[in-house]
Structures are given as structure tokens and as C-alpha cells.
Amino acid sequence: MYDAIVIGAGPAGLQAALTLGRMHRSTLLLDSGQYRNGTVQHMHNVIANDGTPPAEFRATARAQLAAYDDVEIRNATVEGIAGVEGDFVVSLLGGASASARNIILATGVVDDLPEIDGLSALWGRKVFACPFCDGHEHAGKPIAVLGGAARAQHLIAMLGRIVSEITVIPVDAPFTAEEVTSIEARGVRVGGSTAIAVSADDAGVVVRTADAEYAAAGIFVAAGSMRQRAPFAQQLGLGMLESGAIEIDDFGRTTEPGVYAAGDLAHRAAMPGPMAAVMMAATAGQFAAVGVIQSLLAAGH
């Protein structure tokens, strides 16, 4: 019986395991090998790790966790979770299982991109969503923004002072005349028809529409959505928010006693959505681990 099983070994899960290990709490960290930033070559806006490849970050974290005898790491995929606080059973692919007093979900989310030929293949390398993570790398260069007018305006406002030129290209339907006027008022070019394909070239990317081609250094997506990577929130009957994320309190507690959540898959109701950043995910993992320790102490463990 572990004090906690942490499911997911991105920044949130790794930090949760570290915090629990430092308090000598028996912890099992389960790593499926699937990560939201799995295709990303370098992570940014992470102090002391700006520009570090995510795989290197994870490898360093796992090497450091090896120093803690109370933390066990397994490369395993979870199929299901059952039980109640104090007695959870986690079923693993292949038939094995493990038990714990508490669960920390850190499985993250999946990004559902617009169905544009070639877009998903370039995700994390030439196609991005976060100006904080990838805007600076396009300083002084032209970019393309794919998506609806309202969300595109937000990216324009953030990236306009960084990049040299922005071309906004619609995804689902051409922009209305009013939307075109509003976007062009910011000094931004607007594509006349929807994007149908993207491809990479030596200089960056090319976005093709029905009537034109647009060259850029990179693409920022102002469309698409996120969803839970794993079915565990539904299995456990956890409270969900309109954003599609798991509802948690300040210490990562979900609506189910003994179940905690950290990272992109969860946020507090006071926030409009999850803060999709490495530092934020790691912080959430630490808070969830502290929540688990508080619970264990209250139960006399």
C-alpha cells in the first residue's frame, strides 16, 4: 500500500513525486511515455531551463528522483482506477495492479488541432499555440495565425510587438467584412479563404488556401481545443468545469476524497482555464503533494 500513486510523469507528476519523496512518503510514479509536449524540441519560459529539450528535463528529473528510496518509478500505462480514499486500486496494462491511500492525476491533456492537412505533423516544431513559450523565437520574423477572428485578435495583441508581420488565415469559414476590417486595423494581413494545407520549407512554413499561398517563419494556432488524455476523471466521477478540466481547490483536491489533480488537466473554478506552462504544472504538482501529506497526517499515517 503506497501513500500515493502519481499517474503521469510530466512536470506536474515529477514534482509531486519529488515533494512526496522528500517527506519519505511511499510513492509510485507511473509513466506512460505520452506527453503533451512530446514533439516539442525546446521548452521556454522556464527559469534555469530556458531552451532545454523536454526529454532532457524529464531524464534529469528521473535521475534526481532515483536518490529517494521512497519513490518508485515504473514505465506503465494505467487502464483504470477504483476504490475510495485510503484504499485505491490502480489497474495497469498487462494485468498488474497497485494500491494506494491517495491518487494524484497528472496525465495532462491532448490538443485537438483543426483538421488541416499537414498541421498535426508540424505541431511543436513549426506550429505553436503559446506566445509565452514560442513567441520570442520568432522575433523579427513573419508568422501566420490560423483560427477564428476573436482568438486571433488575442494572439495579434501579444505577438504584434515581437514579430515583423502577421497574416491571419481563417480555418472554419472566411471572415466577415466586419472581422476583416477589425483585424486589418491592427496592421495585419488577412487571408481571403480558409487554410487547407500547411507544409514546411527551409525558411519556415507555407500555408495554402484555395486561392493563395502564404510563407511564414512559423504558425500560431488560434483554434482547436483540449481534452483529457485519460478517462480517469469520468471513472472516478470527479467534478468537471466548463473548460473540460477537473475542478480542484488550492491544494489540488478534487471532488472525490483522496483524489488529487495537477497540471493542464485541472484548475480552480476561479480561473477561466488551466495555465498551460511547465512552471505552473510543476507548482500544481507540489501543491497536490502537500495536500496528500496533509491528508495522511490528519488520518494518522
Side-chain angles (χ1 to χ4, degrees), residues 186-218:
R186 291 179 172 267
V188 173
R189 291 198 304 166
V190 179
S193 57
T194 60
I196 57 176
V198 301
S199 59
D201 64 13
D202 293 339
V205 293
V206 174
V207 182
R208 182 163 57 88
T209 68
D211 56 11
E213 288 188 351
Y214 302 90

Side-chain angles (χ1 to χ4, degrees), residues 7-10 12 34-36 105-110 227-230 246 262-266:
I7 305 174
Q34 295 182 320
Y35 317 104
R36 185 182 187 187
L105 300 177
T107 47
V109 297
V110 174
R227 57 182 167 85
Q228 296 282 318
R229 178 178 294 279
I246 299 169
D264 296 351
L265 80 170

Side-chain angles (χ1 to χ4, degrees), residues 105 228 233 237-256 259-262 265-271:
L105 300 177
Q228 296 282 318
L238 304 183
M240 305 296 290
L241 297 167
E242 289 185 9
S243 64
I246 299 169
E247 182 177 3
I248 56 172
D249 69 4
D250 290 346
F251 284 95
R253 302 180 187 93
T254 70
T255 55
E256 181 68 26
V259 180
Y260 300 73
L265 80 170
H267 64 88
R268 292 177 291 122
M271 302 291 289

Side-chain angles (χ1 to χ4, degrees), residues 5-17 27-35 58 62 65 73-74 76-78 81 90 103-108 229-230 232 262 265 285:
I5 293 178
V6 181
I7 305 174
L14 291 165
Q15 180 62 57
T27 304
L28 175 60
L29 175 63
L30 297 173
D31 186 351
S32 69
Q34 295 182 320
Y35 317 104
R58 292 190 295 267
R62 287 184 62 147
L65 285 171
I73 303 175
R74 292 190 209 172
T77 298
V78 176
I81 307 170
V90 174
I103 300 291
I104 297 179
L105 300 177
T107 47
R229 178 178 294 279
F232 309 135
L265 80 170

Side-chain angles (χ1 to χ4, degrees), residues 90-126:
V90 174
S91 301
L92 307 179
L93 183 66
S97 63
S99 300
R101 296 183 175 91
N102 298 276
I103 300 291
I104 297 179
L105 300 177
T107 47
V109 297
V110 174
D111 293 284
D112 289 324
L113 300 175
E115 294 184 3
I116 298 171
D117 186 44
L119 191 67
S120 61
L122 298 178
W123 178 243
R125 296 187 296 113
K126 299 283 188 178

Side-chain angles (χ1 to χ4, degrees), residues 65-219:
L65 285 171
Y68 295 88
D69 293 339
D70 291 294
V71 178
E72 177 185 348
I73 303 175
R74 292 190 209 172
N75 296 324
T77 298
V78 176
E79 287 195 314
I81 307 170
V84 296
E85 183 178 24
D87 188 18
F88 289 104
V89 177
V90 174
S91 301
L92 307 179
L93 183 66
S97 63
S99 300
R101 296 183 175 91
N102 298 276
I103 300 291
I104 297 179
L105 300 177
T107 47
V109 297
V110 174
D111 293 284
D112 289 324
L113 300 175
E115 294 184 3
I116 298 171
D117 186 44
L119 191 67
S120 61
L122 298 178
W123 178 243
R125 296 187 296 113
K126 299 283 188 178
V127 177
F128 313 97
C130 175
F132 291 103
C133 303
D134 300 291
H136 172 74
E137 283 60 46
H138 294 83
K141 302 175 184 178
I143 64 162
V145 173
L146 306 186
R151 290 175 66 177
Q153 291 275 22
H154 180 66
L155 282 178
I156 292 168
M158 297 185 74
L159 291 166
R161 66 185 299 114
I162 299 173
V163 303
S164 64
E165 181 180 77
I166 301 175
T167 301
V168 179
I169 303 168
V171 170
D172 296 320
F175 296 131
T176 65
E178 182 179 356
E179 288 172 334
V180 170
T181 299
S182 176
I183 295 172
E184 289 182 338
R186 291 179 172 267
V188 173
R189 291 198 304 166
V190 179
S193 57
T194 60
I196 57 176
V198 301
S199 59
D201 64 13
D202 293 339
V205 293
V206 174
V207 182
R208 182 163 57 88
T209 68
D211 56 11
E213 288 188 351
Y214 302 90
I219 295 170

